[in-house]
Amino acid sequence: MLTNVISGLLIPFAGTTLGSACVFFMKKSLHPGVQRALTGFAAGVMVAASIWSLLIPAMEQSAALGRLAFLPAVVGFWLGVGFLLALDMLVPHLHQGADSPEGPKTGFSRTTMLVLAVTLHNIPEGMAVGVVYAGYLTGSTQITAMGALALSLGIAIQNFPEGAIISLPLKAEGASRGRAFWLGTLSGAVEPVAALLTVWAAGLVVPALPYLLSFAAGAMLYVVVEELIPEMSQGEHSNLGALCFAFGFTLMMALDVALG
C-alpha cells in the first residue's frame, strides 16, 4: 500500500518533468494558440478533479450531518480560496503573457517570477493528490486506490503541457536549455512536498478530511478562475481554449468514474 501511495504522489511531478524536457526537442516557444489550448485543457482537468475527486467525496464523508452535509465542503472550500488569495498577494509572480508582475515589489528577475507563478498553482494540485491518498490510507469508503490513481494521472496529464509552457518561454527569455529544464522541473517539485504535508496533516486529524478535500478544491478553482481562464481566453479564437477546457473536463470526469 505504501509503495502505491508514494508512486501516486510522484506521478504528477513526473508529468511536469517530462513536459519540461520538451525544451530539449523543440526549438521555439509554443504558438500562442497551442498555449491557449493546453491552458484550457489544464483548466478543464482541474475543474473536473475539484468536483468529482474532492467536493463530492467531502460531502459524502459528511453524510452523517444530514441536510448540513454541505457545511464542511463550504467551509473548506472558502479556506482554500482564502489561502490562494493570500499567496497571490504575498508572493511576487508573473503570469505568462503579462507585462507587469503581481504581489509585492521585489528585485526578482522575470524568469524567477515566471517560475513562482507556476509554482503557486502547483501547490493546490499537490494538496489535492495528497488529501485523496490520505483518504485512501484512512480507509475512507468514498476513496479507492483506483480513484486516487485517477486523480494523480489526471493531474500528471495536465502537468505535461504545463512543464512545456514554463520551460520553453524560459529558454525564449534567454535561459539555456538545461537551466530552462531544471527551472520547469523545480516549479513542479512543490507538488510532492505539498502532497506529503497534506497526508501528514490528514493523518493527525482524520475528522478534518472533508475540510481538507474541499480546501484543495477551493484552492484549485481559484487558480482556474484567476489565472487559467484569462490566459486561455486571450487573443483571437478563444473558442479553442473553451473546447480544450471541455475535453480536459470530460477526460478527467471519465478517468475518475471509470477508475474510481
Side-chain angles (χ1 to χ4, degrees):
M1 178 183 287
L2 186 59
T3 303
N4 290 339
V5 171
I6 292 173
S7 60
L9 297 182
L10 291 175
I11 286 173
F13 178 54
T16 303
T17 302
L18 290 172
S20 298
C22 288
V23 75
F24 294 114
F25 309 104
M26 299 178 65
K27 294 182 178 180
K28 299 180 180 179
S29 59
L30 293 171
H31 185 276
V34 174
Q35 191 160 319
R36 285 198 298 273
L38 295 177
T39 301
F41 175 81
V45 168
M46 290 173 71
V47 171
S50 296
I51 296 170
W52 272 272
S53 299
L54 300 170
L55 289 173
I56 290 176
M59 288 185 279
E60 288 177 344
Q61 291 193 10
S62 305
L65 296 176
R67 292 185 177 181
L68 295 178
F70 66 89
L71 194 58
V74 170
V75 172
F77 183 92
W78 276 102
L79 288 173
V81 170
F83 175 69
L84 256 292
L85 176 61
L87 287 181
D88 210 30
M89 296 172 64
L90 295 173
V91 179
H93 59 284
L94 179 67
H95 295 303
Q96 294 287 345
D99 295 323
S100 57
E102 296 181 9
K105 292 183 179 179
T106 67
F108 290 166
S109 68
R110 182 181 174 87
T111 298
T112 300
M113 288 193 288
L114 282 169
V115 173
L116 283 173
V118 177
T119 302
L120 278 181
H121 84 235
N122 280 339
I123 291 174
E125 293 171 15
M127 292 180 65
V129 174
V131 74
V132 168
Y133 271 100
Y136 165 62
L137 286 173
T138 57
S140 169
T141 56
Q142 290 85 9
I143 300 174
T144 64
M146 292 305 290
L149 178 62
L151 175 63
S152 192
L153 287 172
I155 296 295
I157 289 170
Q158 67 100 14
N159 275 356
F160 180 85
E162 278 189 359
I165 285 172
I166 186 64
S167 65
L168 289 168
L170 287 176
K171 180 180 176 294
E173 291 279 334
S176 67
R177 290 180 188 271
R179 179 174 169 77
F181 167 74
W182 285 114
L183 286 173
T185 299
L186 184 63
S187 71
V190 70
E191 288 195 15
V193 174
L196 285 170
L197 289 174
T198 307
V199 170
W200 172 75
L204 290 178
V205 191
V206 175
L209 194 58
Y211 294 92
L212 289 172
L213 284 164
S214 49
F215 181 98
M220 284 215 296
L221 288 179
Y222 177 90
V223 169
V224 170
V225 176
E226 194 272 339
E227 179 183 346
L228 300 186
I229 289 179
E231 286 184 7
M232 79 182 205
S233 304
Q234 289 178 354
E236 299 178 355
H237 308 301
S238 59
N239 55 341
L240 177 62
L243 288 172
C244 290
F245 175 95
F247 176 64
F249 184 93
T250 51
L251 176 63
M252 185 64 226
M253 178 178 65
L255 275 175
D256 190 87
V257 175
L259 298 181

